[in-house]
Structures are given as structure tokens and as C-alpha cells.
Amino acid sequence: MGTLQCDTPVYDGFVRKFMADYAVKGSKPAVKLARKFCHTWPVPKRDPEAQPPRTTVRVGVMDSSFNPPHYCHGAYMECLAIMELMPAAVARGQQTGPEARVLGIDAYLLLLASDNADKPLKEASLEQRMRMVDMLATTVVEDTTADTWHLWKSRDQFDASNLHNMAIGMVNTPRFVDKCQAVRDVVQSEWKANMGEEAESLPAPHVLSYFAMGWDTLIRVFDPKYYTKFPAELDSFFDNGGRIAYSRRVGFPNEEVDAFFARPEMAPYLQYIFELRLPKRVKHISSSTVRLAVRDSTESVRDVPPRILEYVNNLQLYRSDINSLG
């Protein structure tokens, strides 16, 4: 095993237990944490003399099949960390409430999905993917030397972003309405545990979960085929604090985005949808292009952190015929 990722925890036992306990028919939506990079997660580190914690906790969530993780996944988290988010309602000139401009995320969560609604499990096992998720989080949290892929410009900006307040885990449901419920439950539970006696005098925090996603995933969120009761279940996603932070990525023209948001049925939801403007240097990256690059040994292997590439090479992942790569 190489030097860059030799200290990464092994998650075989965690994954096996998660699948046995939560990936069985009839299981309620659940998120289980595998590692917290800040022991107080989701509560950011704070001065004991500082003001009491806010009663709203904003969590940036990157939920993916991570096959494999890459720099664009990390860039989503950094966009959430440092960008001022503007709702689609504001961009279209509509009046909105207090979330007209949201600045600052309290905690971050990388979630490996055990069940994806559209992507069957192929090539890399869940255990292997979980370990690579840890490597991605380590890259975001610990590689604090300015690099070409980072969005923050100084250590002070990084420290103010709360990017250190990262956790990783697994989620057992493919639907965002259920993921939102599971994220809220684990955030409130961990918040109470980490606040100690102070939590007794405070109400459970209101959790706002900003799910980072590409445009194609946003389209699926609003597709009735993923719901048994539409639009009631979609409404419950937003009522329970679900928010969407999307990027247009490559290949989706502005006209398509504008036409989608102009639909009358989208009007009630635009206040909850925020656009992330990914930098050009990462917008082209996807897991499928990385798998192709690994198979063909092209320069695009630079689109993954070195520790992940080392792991992929050591295990000879993604070398099979591209048609079999999920």
C-alpha cells in the first residue's frame, strides 16, 4: 500500500454492519456516521465565551455514489463554504423571505449512498468507495496548502469556512425526501450529544440541509416518478429543511435552465434553490470521465486527489471494459 493513503481507516466492518442493519427491506431512512473530522460535529468549534450557538444549523451535504470521488465533489463543498448563495427566486426577480442571501455553512457531510435510484453498484465495492470518501474528506479538511483546485484564497478564509467541520457516512435511501429526514435526525442527535448540558435549555435546532448536486440530479428531484405521493412528498422535503444547491455543469445550456424554472409549477420552490458557480477548472469532471481516464491512462487522472489515484492504482480499479463501469 502506498504512502499517501496508508493511514486511511478501513471501513469494511462499518459497511457490513450498515448494510445488515439499515439496507434491508422495511428499514426507515437512516444516515450513519463513519467518521467525524471535528469531534464536535455538527457544532463548529467556538470560544466558550462566545454567543450561544444558533438555533438553526446549516449543513452542506454531498450525496453521491462516489465511483470514484474527485475534485469536483470537493469543489461543491468549497462552493458551499465560501460563496454567497442566491435563490433562483431572487435571480428571477421574485420576492423572497429571510433566505434571500445565505452566507456560511456550519457543517459538512459526505454521504455514500448504499442504494442509488438510477445507478447499480459496479466495479468498486461500497467498502472501497467508503475508504475513498474518507480520502476526499481528508483532502478537503487537511490539505490546507493553497492548490490549483481550491476555491479559498487564504488560510484565514479556510478557517472561517467551517470546512474543518466535516463528517462522512452512509445513507440507505435513494430519494431526497427521505435523505433529508435522515440527515435532520442525525444532525439533531449529534448536536444534542455535543452541546451537553447546554442542550437541555435549548430547543432542538432547525436543520437546513443544502444538498449539492448537478443539473441532471435537480431534474430528477422534481420528477413525479420518484414519488408515491406527488407533490406532497416533494413539499415535505422543503418543509423539513431540504434545500438544493445546484451547478449547471457542462452540457446544460442556460436556455434549458431558464425554461425549467419558468414553469408555473416551479414557482413555489424557487426560493429554496440556489446556484453554485463551479470554477471552470473542475466543471468538466465526472466520475465516468475519471474511470475512462484510469482505464486509458490519460491526463484526466489528475482530476482526483493523489491519495485516491494511488488507491485506485494499487487495487487496479476501473480497468475493465468501460461498458461495465457503473
Side-chain angles (χ1 to χ4, degrees):
M1 199 64 69
T3 57
L4 288 172
Q5 41 77 36
C6 59
D7 294 330
T8 304
V10 176
Y11 290 101
D12 295 35
F14 169 81
V15 172
R16 284 196 299 269
K17 181 170 176 53
F18 181 88
M19 297 301 289
D21 293 347
Y22 300 103
V24 295
K25 187 175 180 179
S27 296
K28 64 173 291 189
V31 164
K32 290 298 173 183
L33 302 184
R35 182 182 181 188
K36 297 191 292 185
F37 285 76
C38 176
H39 74 278
T40 61
W41 188 96
V43 181
K45 293 178 181 177
R46 61 190 179 97
D47 188 325
E49 302 301 321
Q51 294 294 319
R54 291 181 293 178
T55 55
T56 295
V57 177
R58 292 177 170 87
V59 184
V61 184
M62 180 83 249
D63 158 72
S64 176
S65 56
F66 292 113
N67 192 28
H70 47 69
Y71 280 131
C72 193
H73 289 132
Y76 270 113
M77 292 292 95
E78 295 202 356
C79 279
L80 283 169
I82 68 174
M83 287 182 64
E84 187 174 74
L85 305 182
M86 178 177 290
V90 171
R92 296 187 62 82
Q94 294 184 5
Q95 184 70 32
T96 62
E99 287 188 289
R101 292 180 181 270
V102 178
L103 183 63
I105 300 293
D106 300 300
Y108 303 84
L109 180 60
L110 298 179
L111 287 178
L112 173 63
S114 65
D115 182 16
N116 189 296
D118 296 298
K119 297 179 181 179
L121 181 65
K122 294 181 181 179
E123 193 63 30
S125 69
L126 289 174
E127 291 85 353
Q128 291 164 341
R129 296 186 198 189
M130 193 70 242
R131 197 169 187 193
M132 289 189 284
V133 170
D134 185 291
M135 296 174 198
L136 174 66
T138 299
T139 300
V140 174
V141 173
E142 297 182 5
D143 291 359
T144 54
T145 301
D147 198 342
T148 55
W149 82 272
H150 284 305
L151 277 69
W152 48 266
K153 303 300 182 183
S154 68
R155 182 56 191 260
D156 287 343
Q157 189 179 23
F158 171 84
D159 290 342
S161 71
N162 288 328
L163 277 166
H164 65 276
N165 198 20
M166 179 82 68
I168 62 174
M170 291 185 69
V171 60
N172 67 343
T173 176
R175 303 194 315 161
F176 280 93
V177 60
D178 299 323
K179 294 178 198 285
C180 184
Q181 174 187 331
V183 169
R184 182 193 60 188
D185 290 347
V186 75
V187 168
Q188 289 183 338
S189 175
E190 292 288 331
W191 181 90
K192 183 176 181 180
N194 283 292
M195 290 300 298
E197 294 183 0
E198 192 174 357
E200 299 299 324
S201 60
L202 296 170
H206 178 50
V207 180
L208 296 179
S209 302
Y210 293 82
F211 286 88
M213 61 184 69
W215 179 253
D216 53 342
T217 303
L218 181 148
I219 293 293
R220 291 198 293 272
V221 170
F222 292 93
D223 190 333
K225 79 175 185 179
Y226 295 106
Y227 301 90
T228 55
K229 296 179 180 179
F230 185 86
E233 288 178 319
L234 174 63
D235 293 342
S236 71
F237 168 78
F238 296 108
D239 291 342
N240 288 328
R243 302 292 184 265
I244 293 174
Y246 78 96
S247 170
R248 304 191 186 203
R249 298 286 296 273
V250 174
F252 292 96
N254 292 343
E255 294 78 10
E256 180 178 331
V257 176
D258 293 340
F260 184 82
F261 286 155
R263 296 178 182 179
E265 63 270 23
M266 289 298 299
Y269 306 114
L270 296 185
Q271 62 181 310
Y272 307 123
I273 301 174
F274 303 81
E275 181 172 3
L276 298 176
R277 298 190 180 274
L278 293 175
K280 291 182 178 179
R281 60 185 178 272
V282 299
K283 287 185 72 170
H284 68 284
I285 304 174
S286 68
S287 292
S288 58
T289 59
V290 170
R291 295 193 299 267
L292 274 171
V294 169
R295 188 198 67 173
D296 298 336
S297 298
T298 66
E299 288 190 356
S300 290
V301 294
R302 299 174 181 175
D303 293 338
V304 297
R307 54 174 54 86
I308 293 178
L309 180 60
E310 180 183 277
Y311 182 75
V312 166
N313 287 335
N314 284 340
L315 271 64
Q316 291 292 293
L317 298 176
Y318 310 121
R319 262 57 175 195
S320 59
D321 183 81
I322 195 64
N323 292 324
S324 71
L325 299 183

